[in-house]
C-alpha cells in the first residue's frame, strides 16, 4: 500500500526543503518528494493542498506515567493524545512508581509501548537510583536496553559530584543527560513564580535565581567534563542568557522550552484553579520574551510539551495541594502557531525545525526528516483552521490545561506513523 | 455617607479586600456601627438571620476569629455549627470539595472558612453555591480582620484621610498584612511596612501609597497607627531571623520606639500576641493600645458581614 500526499507545502528543515510538492510513502518509508507524482491503483491519494506537510513531530519531554501511575495517564491514552497533537515520537520521563532506573524496566516499557501505543515512545532512564540524586543508576545497562537519554526530571541533582560522575560515565555510551534545573534549597515549597503576583497572593514563590544558579552549575560541570548536557524546560531570562554565552564559548549545552513558558505569564495564575500550576512556573512577560528570543536565535534547540497529566481529583483541589503539571500534547501546535507564528515571532520552517530536526539532532534520533528512505512519520498541519480547546475532546486523561477555552488558529489534521494514518481531522484511527 | 441602596453585598462572597470597592467597605463599616450597639444591649439577640444556617469550617486553630464569627451569627439569630479539622471526616482524608458539598447539602447558607492553603476560599466558590466568607487563607487574606482594623481606626481617628499606618513584622507570612494593605489603600491610608528583610516579600507592589523601610524606626516615625504582626517561632527555626531575643531588640515595639510615633498613635495587634517578642507588655497594655477594642469590634464587623451578604442589609430595619 502506497500513500500519496498531494499538493501540500512540504517543509523539511533537516534538508532545507520548503516547497509545494507531493510526498509518496511506500513500505513504511519516504519514497519520493517531487512535483506531480502519479498515483497508481495501489496508491491511496490524500489531497493536502493549502496544508503544511512536515516530518512527524518529536516531543522529547513527556510523562506517560507508566509504570504505576495509570490513574493519571498511560501509554494508550498518552500516545493517542500525542497523535492527536501531530506527534509521531515522544519520550517519556522516568519519575514513575517505581522509578525507571534499571534495564528490565526499560525493556518492559518498550514492550508496553509496542502493545499499547499508537506513536513511537522513547524511554528516558533515571540518572540516579530511585531519582534520589545519591548514586548513579545502572545507566550503561539501560543504554543497552535502549534508553534514549537520562534524567532525574522533577528533581534537581543537588550533588554536583553525582552529576559530574554521570557526565563522565555516559561518555562511553554517547547519551545525554537532561537536567531539571531548579536549585532545591531556593524553591522550597514554592507553588508559583516568585514575583509581584506571589507577593500579594501570599503564595510561596519559586525564584528565577533558583533556575539560573542550577543552569550555571550544570553548564560549568558540562564544560569541565567536556560532556553534553541538555537543560529541560528553560523559563528564566537569565538562564537563557547563560546558555547563550555558554554556547558561544563552545560548551556542549542544549536547551528546550515549553509552549507554556513561551506564551504564558504569572499574571494568568488563578488562585482558585491549579490548571496554571507547573514547575518551573509561569514567569514574567520579560522572561517569556527572552525565551522566545532564545528560541529564534538558536540558544534554545527544541520545543517540548512537558505533557504531565494528573487525575482529575488530584488537580481539582486547593492550588497549594494540587500536583504541578498539565497535559500539553494536544494544544502545543495550536498554541505555537497562534501565539508565535501568526503573531509574527517565528517563521514556519524554524518552528517546525524546533519540533523535528533539532530535537532529533540533540538526542541523535534517526527521525525528524523527510529524507528518502526515512521512516514514514509525517504530520500534516492546517495553519489557518480555527478551533477552541475543549477538555471533552482530549485524548489525554488529563483534565486541567491552562489553554482550555482558548481560541486557537492552526492545528494538526493528519498524523502518519510508519506509513499509516493514525489521526485524521483530530480523530484517532485505531 | 454611602446609601446602601446603591451598594449591596447580598450574595457576595467575602474572599479578600482586593475584591471590595471603597463603597462596599464603607457599607460594612456603617453597618458594623449599628451592630456594635446591639452588642452593648442587655439582651443581644436580634432576629435578622433567624432561619439562616451558618457553618464555621476551620482547618486551622483559632480563638478569636472562630468565636467572634460564632457569636456574630448567634446574636443575629442564625443557627451556627462548627466543624474543625481535628474532629471531623477531614482526619479521614475527606477532600475539601467533598466536605463543602456535604455541608451544603445540609442546607447551609454561608460557610465561614479558615484554611492553610491560599486560595482555598476562592476554590470553594467554584464548588458550592453557599456564600463563602474567608476567615483566613494561608498568607493570602483575612478580610474580616482588615475590615475590623479599618473600623477601629475610624472609631478613634474619625476618618482615614491623611492617616499614616505602620505595619511591623512578618509581612511575608501575614494574611492580616495583605488584607490591611488592600483595605487601607482603598480607603486612602498611607501604608509603611518594615521588618526583617527576610520577612518582607521581595516583589511587593511598589504602588502609590505603599512604602517599604529597612528600619522599623523609619516606618514608625510620625505614624498615626502601628499594627504589630505576630511573629511565629517556626520562622526563626527556618532561619529567617537569628533569634527571638534579637528580634525583640531590633524589631520589637517598645516605649522608646513608640515615642517616635504621634502622641495619640493607636497600637494594634491581630493577636495572639507574643509579649516580649514583637511587642513589649508595657506597650501592649498602654493607653495607646486598642488591642482589646479590636476584639470587640471584631464581633460587630462580622455581624455586619453576615447580615449584608445574607440579607443585603434589609435586616437593618428589623434591628432599628
Amino acid at each position: 500500500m502506497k500513500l500519496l500526499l498531494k499538493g501540500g507545502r512540504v517543509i523539511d528543515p533537516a534538508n532545507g526543503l520548503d516547497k509545494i510538492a507531493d510526498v509518496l510513502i511506500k513500505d513504511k518509508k519516504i519514497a519520493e518528494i517531487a512535483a506531480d507524482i502519479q498515483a497508481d491503483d495501489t496508491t491511496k491519494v490524500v489531497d493536502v493542498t493549502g496544508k503544511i506537510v512536515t516530518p512527524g513531530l518529536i516531543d522529547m519531554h513527556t510523562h506517560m506515567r507508566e509504570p504505576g501511575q495509570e490513574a493519571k495517564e498511560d501509554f494508550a491514552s498518552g500516545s493517542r493524545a500525542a497523535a492527536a497533537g501531530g506527534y509521531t515520537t515522544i519520550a517519556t520521563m522516568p519519575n514513575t512508581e517505581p522509578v525507571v532506573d534499571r534495564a528490565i524496566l526499560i525493556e518492559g516499557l518498550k514492550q508496553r509501548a509496542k502493545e499499547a501505543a499508537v506513536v513511537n515512545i522513547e524511554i528516558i532512564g533515571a540518572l540516579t537510583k530511585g531519582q534520589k540524586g545519591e548514586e548513579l543508576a545502572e545507566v550503561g545497562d539501560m543504554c543497552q536496553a535502549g534508553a534514549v537519554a537520562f534524567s532525574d526530571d522533577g528533581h534537581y541533582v543537588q550533588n554536583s559530584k553525582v552529576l559530574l560522575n554521570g557526565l563522565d560515565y555516559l561518555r562511553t555510551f554517547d547519551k545525554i543527560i537532561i537536567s531539571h534545573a531548579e536549585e532545591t534549597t531556593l524553591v522550597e515549597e514554592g507553588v508559583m513564580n516568585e514575583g509581584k503576583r506571589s507577593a500579594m497572593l501570599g503564595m510561596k514563590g519559586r525564584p528565577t535565581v533558583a533556575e539560573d544558579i542550577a543552569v550555571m552549575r550544570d553548564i560549568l560541570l558540562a564544560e569541565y567534563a567536556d560532556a553534553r548536557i541538555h537543560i529541560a524546560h528553560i523559563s528564566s531570562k537569565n538562564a537563557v542568557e547563560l546558555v547563550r554565552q555558554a554556547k558561544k564559548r563552545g560548551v556542549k549545552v542544549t536547551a528546550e522550552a515549553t509552549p507554556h513558558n513561551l506564551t504564558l505569564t504569572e499574571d494568568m495564575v488563578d488562585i482558585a484553579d491549579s490548571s496554571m500550576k507547573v514547575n518551573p512556573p509561569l514567569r514574567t512577560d520579560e522572561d517569556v520574551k527572552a525565551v522566545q528570543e532564545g528560541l529564534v536565535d538558536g540558544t534554545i534547540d527544541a520545543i517540548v510539551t512537558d505533557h504531565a497529566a494528573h487525575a482529575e481529583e488530584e488537580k481539582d483541589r486547593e492550588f497549594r495541594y494540587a500536583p504541578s503539571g498539565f497535559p500539553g500534547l494536544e494544544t502545543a501546535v495550536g498554541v505555537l502557531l497562534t501565539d508565535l507564528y501568526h503573531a509574527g515571532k517565528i517563521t514556519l520552517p524554524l518552528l517546525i525545525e524546533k519540533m523535528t530536526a533539532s530535537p532529533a539532532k540533540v538526542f541523535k534520533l534517526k527521525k525528524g526528516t523527510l529524507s528518502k528512505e526515512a521512516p514514514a512519520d509525517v504530520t500534516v498541519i492546517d495553519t489557518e483552521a480555527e478551533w477552541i480547546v475543549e477538555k471533552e475532546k482530549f485524548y489525554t486523561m488529563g483534565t486541567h490545561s491552562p489553554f482550555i477555552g482558548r481560541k486557537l488558529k492552526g492545528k494538526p489534521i493528519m498524523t502518519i506513523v510508519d506509513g499509516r494514518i493514525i489521526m485524521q481531522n483530530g480523530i484517532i484511527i485505531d | 455617607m454611602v446609601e446602601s441602596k446603591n451598594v449591596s453585598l447580598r450574595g457576595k462572597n467575602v474572599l479578600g479586600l482586593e475584591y471590595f470597592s471603597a463603597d462596599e467597605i464603607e457599607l460594612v463599616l456603617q453597618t458594623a456601627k449599628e451592630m456594635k450597639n446591639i452588642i452593648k444591649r442587655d439582651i443581644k439577640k436580634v432576629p435578622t438571620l433567624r432561619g439562616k444556617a451558618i457553618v464555621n469550617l476551620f482547618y486551622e486553630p483559632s480563638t478569636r476569629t472562630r468565636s467572634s464569627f460564632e457569636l456574630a451569627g448567634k446574636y443575629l439569630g442564625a443557627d451556627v455549627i462548627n466543624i474543625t479539622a481535628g474532629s471531623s471526616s477531614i482526619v479521614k482524608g475527606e477532600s475539601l470539595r467533598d466536605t463543602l458539598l456535604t455541608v451544603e447539602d445540609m442546607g447551609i447558607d454561608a460557610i465561614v472558612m479558615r484554611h492553610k492553603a491560599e486560595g482555598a476560599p476562592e476554590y470553594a466558590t467554584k464548588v458550592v453555591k453557599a456564600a463563602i466568607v474567608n476567615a483566613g487563607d494561608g498568607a493570602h487574606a483575612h478580610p474580616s480582620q482588615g475590615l475590623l482594623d479599618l473600623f477601629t481606626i475610624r472609631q478613634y481617628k474619625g476618618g482615614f484621610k491623611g492617616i499614616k499606618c505602620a505595619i511591623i513584622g512578618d509581612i511575608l507570612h501575614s494574611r492580616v498584612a495583605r488584607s490591611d494593605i488592600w483595605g487601607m489603600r482603598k480607603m486612602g491610608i498611607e501604608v509603611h511596612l518594615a521588618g526583617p528583610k527576610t520577612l518582607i516579600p521581595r516583589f511587593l507592589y511598589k504602588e502609590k501609597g505603599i512604602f517599604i523601610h529597612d528600619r522599623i524606626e523609619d516606618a514608625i516615625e510620625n505614624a498615626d497607627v502601628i499594627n504589630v504582626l505576630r511573629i511565629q517561632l517556626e520562622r526563626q527555626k527556618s532561619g529567617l531571623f537569628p533569634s527571638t531575643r534579637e528580634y525583640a531588640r531590633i524589631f520589637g515595639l517598645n516605649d522608646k520606639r513608640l515615642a517616635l510615633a504621634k502622641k495619640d498613635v493607636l497600637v494594634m495587634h491581630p493577636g495572639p500576641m507574643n509579649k516580649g517578642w514583637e511587642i513589649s507588655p508595657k506597650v501592649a497594655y498602654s493607653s495607646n493600645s486598642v488591642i482589646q477594642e479590636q476584639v470587640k469590634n471584631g464581633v460587630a464587623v462580622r455581624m455586619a458581614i453576615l447580615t449584608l451578604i445574607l440579607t443585603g442589609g434589609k435586616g437593618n430595619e428589623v434591628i432599628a
Side-chain angles (χ1 to χ4, degrees), chain A residues 188 191 194-204 267 270-273 315-321, chain B residues 19 96-97 115-120 122-123 126 137-140 173 178 181-182 201-205:
Chain A
E188 295 176 295
V191 294
E194 182 173 270
K196 284 181 182 175
R197 278 282 285 166
S198 69
M200 273 321 273
L201 290 174
M203 305 237 262
K204 278 204 173 138
D267 298 323
D270 175 356
I271 195 166
D273 181 358
K315 284 296 264 188
D316 185 8
R317 61 176 311 181
E318 301 93 319
F319 190 100
R320 193 204 280 186
Y321 302 148
Chain B
Y19 310 111
L96 175 58
R97 161 178 281 274
H115 202 288
K116 273 191 189 69
E118 296 81 13
E122 275 90 344
Y123 169 77
K126 299 199 166 181
D137 63 324
H140 172 225
H173 302 95
R178 288 186 178 79
I181 292 170
W182 282 113
R202 198 176 303 279
F203 296 92
L204 200 63
Y205 283 106

Side-chain angles (χ1 to χ4, degrees), chain A residues 11-299:
Chain A
I11 299 179
D12 182 17
N15 292 306
L17 187 72
D18 182 1
K19 65 175 184 189
I20 308 289
D22 299 347
V23 176
L24 181 67
I25 293 166
K26 197 173 139 184
D27 299 332
K28 301 182 177 185
K29 291 196 163 66
I30 304 293
E32 190 183 1
I33 298 178
D36 293 319
I37 299 175
Q38 294 305 308
D40 59 28
D41 295 346
T42 64
T43 308
K44 178 183 163 78
V45 181
V46 181
D47 181 9
V48 291
T49 308
K51 311 292 188 278
I52 311 296
V53 180
T54 74
L57 305 181
I58 297 172
D59 183 352
M60 292 307 287
H61 192 144
T62 74
H63 298 268
M64 291 294 115
R65 306 299 193 196
E66 289 202 38
Q69 299 171 323
E70 293 84 357
K72 297 173 189 275
E73 190 84 282
D74 61 23
F75 280 11
S77 63
S79 71
R80 279 165 179 75
Y87 288 93
T88 59
T89 297
I90 57 176
T92 183
M93 283 291 178
N95 57 335
T96 47
E97 290 168 18
V99 166
V100 180
D101 63 357
R102 61 196 67 189
I104 184 119
L105 287 164
I106 303 278
E107 285 159 8
L109 289 179
K110 287 181 90 77
Q111 187 58 35
R112 272 287 298 153
K114 265 187 208 149
E115 288 162 13
V118 298
V119 303
N120 305 303
I121 299 189
E122 299 283 352
I123 314 295
I124 298 165
L127 179 66
T128 67
K129 285 176 188 156
Q131 286 195 319
K132 289 198 175 85
E134 291 161 3
E135 48 182 327
L136 289 183
E138 290 179 348
V139 289
D141 213 18
M142 285 193 274
C143 284
Q144 290 179 346
V148 69
F150 294 92
S151 181
D152 276 3
D153 185 54
H155 312 273
Y156 178 59
V157 182
Q158 188 82 19
N159 186 323
S160 298
K161 177 60 177 163
V162 170
L163 184 61
L164 186 59
N165 286 344
L167 291 165
D168 285 336
Y169 191 78
L170 280 166
R171 285 288 295 265
T172 306
F173 309 95
D174 196 22
K175 293 285 185 227
I176 198 165
I177 293 171
I178 306 166
S179 172
H180 180 128
E182 276 189 299
E183 163 58 43
T184 317
T185 58
L186 288 172
V187 293
E188 295 176 295
E189 305 290 305
V191 294
M192 63 179 293
N193 184 46
E194 182 173 270
K196 284 181 182 175
R197 278 282 285 166
S198 69
M200 273 321 273
L201 290 174
M203 305 237 262
K204 278 204 173 138
R206 302 173 85 90
T208 48
V209 70
E211 179 173 332
D212 305 339
I213 284 177
V215 166
M216 191 70 235
R217 188 215 53 178
D218 290 355
I219 286 170
L220 290 173
L221 287 176
E223 186 170 23
Y224 186 69
D226 191 25
R228 299 198 299 137
I229 196 155
H230 183 72
I231 305 296
H233 38 50
I234 200 164
S235 71
S236 116
K237 181 186 173 181
N238 286 344
V240 172
E241 182 56 29
L242 290 169
V243 172
R244 183 179 287 125
Q245 287 168 5
K247 279 190 164 183
K248 258 184 207 157
R249 64 175 189 271
V251 183
K252 293 169 184 164
V253 59
T254 51
E256 62 184 35
T258 61
H260 48 274
N261 284 125
L262 279 160
T263 61
L264 303 179
T265 67
E266 61 177 10
D267 298 323
M268 318 278 294
V269 171
D270 175 356
I271 195 166
D273 181 358
S274 71
S275 295
M276 305 275 175
K277 187 175 176 185
V278 65
N279 296 335
L282 306 180
R283 305 278 194 197
T284 66
D285 200 37
E286 219 184 332
D287 294 303
V288 167
K289 281 196 185 108
V291 176
Q292 290 176 355
E293 281 164 21
L295 185 70
V296 172
D297 75 12
T299 304

Side-chain angles (χ1 to χ4, degrees), chain B residues 55 98-109 111 124 127-131:
Chain B
V55 59
D98 289 348
T99 302
L100 288 165
L101 290 170
T102 301
V103 297
E104 182 174 58
D105 283 342
M106 294 178 181
I108 292 291
D109 298 287
I111 300 171
V127 179
V128 290
K129 287 194 190 75

Side-chain angles (χ1 to χ4, degrees), chain B residues 148-160:
Chain B
L148 80 87
D149 288 348
L150 287 172
F151 186 85
T152 307
I153 293 170
R154 165 104 107 219
Q155 181 184 327
Y156 290 95
K157 298 292 172 190
F160 302 122

Side-chain angles (χ1 to χ4, degrees), chain B residues 55-312:
Chain B
V55 59
N56 280 330
L57 179 60
F58 274 58
Y59 282 77
E60 274 189 333
S62 162
T63 305
R64 65 213 78 216
T65 304
R66 191 174 68 80
S67 46
S68 69
F69 264 115
E70 182 172 352
L71 284 171
K74 286 179 170 167
Y75 291 163
L76 291 163
D79 292 306
V80 183
I81 60 165
N82 291 296
I83 299 176
T84 50
S87 59
S88 65
S89 287
I90 296 159
V91 290
K92 299 178 190 167
E94 187 173 56
S95 68
L96 175 58
R97 161 178 281 274
D98 289 348
T99 302
L100 288 165
L101 290 170
T102 301
V103 297
E104 182 174 58
D105 283 342
M106 294 178 181
I108 292 291
D109 298 287
I111 300 171
V112 177
M113 244 182 97
R114 166 161 295 186
H115 202 288
K116 273 191 189 69
E118 296 81 13
E122 275 90 344
Y123 169 77
T125 65
K126 299 199 166 181
V127 179
V128 290
K129 287 194 190 75
I132 303 293
V133 179
N134 182 6
D137 63 324
H140 172 225
H142 195 350
S144 62
Q145 180 77 39
L147 289 164
L148 80 87
D149 288 348
L150 287 172
F151 186 85
T152 307
I153 293 170
R154 165 104 107 219
Q155 181 184 327
Y156 290 95
K157 298 292 172 190
F160 302 122
K161 252 215 161 108
I163 297 287
K164 173 184 171 177
C165 177
I167 304 177
I168 306 298
D170 182 2
I171 314 286
L172 185 64
H173 302 95
S174 176
R175 53 189 170 221
V176 175
R178 288 186 178 79
S179 281
D180 277 345
I181 292 170
W182 282 113
M184 289 178 181
R185 284 310 303 141
K186 291 198 182 199
M187 303 315 280
I189 294 175
E190 200 175 89
V191 180
H192 293 257
L193 307 174
K197 274 291 187 187
T198 45
L199 294 175
I200 308 283
R202 198 176 303 279
F203 296 92
L204 200 63
Y205 283 106
K206 284 178 186 141
E207 277 183 359
K208 191 173 164 260
I210 299 179
F211 303 87
I212 299 173
H213 303 274
D214 291 339
R215 299 168 64 248
I216 72 161
E217 288 82 358
D218 296 337
I220 291 169
E221 200 178 339
N222 228 16
D224 299 284
V225 180
I226 304 171
N227 193 7
V228 184
L229 300 174
R230 171 183 166 75
I231 193 81
Q232 284 171 278
L233 192 59
E234 62 186 82
R235 308 302 174 211
Q236 186 263 318
K237 285 180 181 155
S238 56
L240 292 167
F241 58 93
S243 68
T244 49
R245 181 185 156 275
E246 176 163 313
Y247 188 93
R249 286 168 68 96
I250 298 173
F251 302 102
L253 186 63
N254 53 26
D255 359 336
K256 211 175 127 198
R257 294 198 175 105
L258 189 64
L260 297 169
K262 286 196 182 135
K263 252 204 159 65
D264 59 350
V265 64
L266 304 180
V267 174
M268 306 204 301
H269 191 298
M273 288 186 276
N274 297 298
K275 289 187 291 284
W277 292 4
E278 71 263 12
I279 190 164
S280 73
K282 207 172 154 194
V283 171
Y285 299 117
S286 70
S287 58
N288 295 93
S289 168
V290 293
I291 296 168
Q292 288 313 116
E293 192 67 17
Q294 284 177 280
V295 175
K296 266 185 226 167
N297 291 341
V299 180
V301 163
R302 285 164 184 133
M303 287 171 77
I305 289 171
L306 293 172
T307 301
L308 290 168
I309 63 167
L310 291 174
T311 73

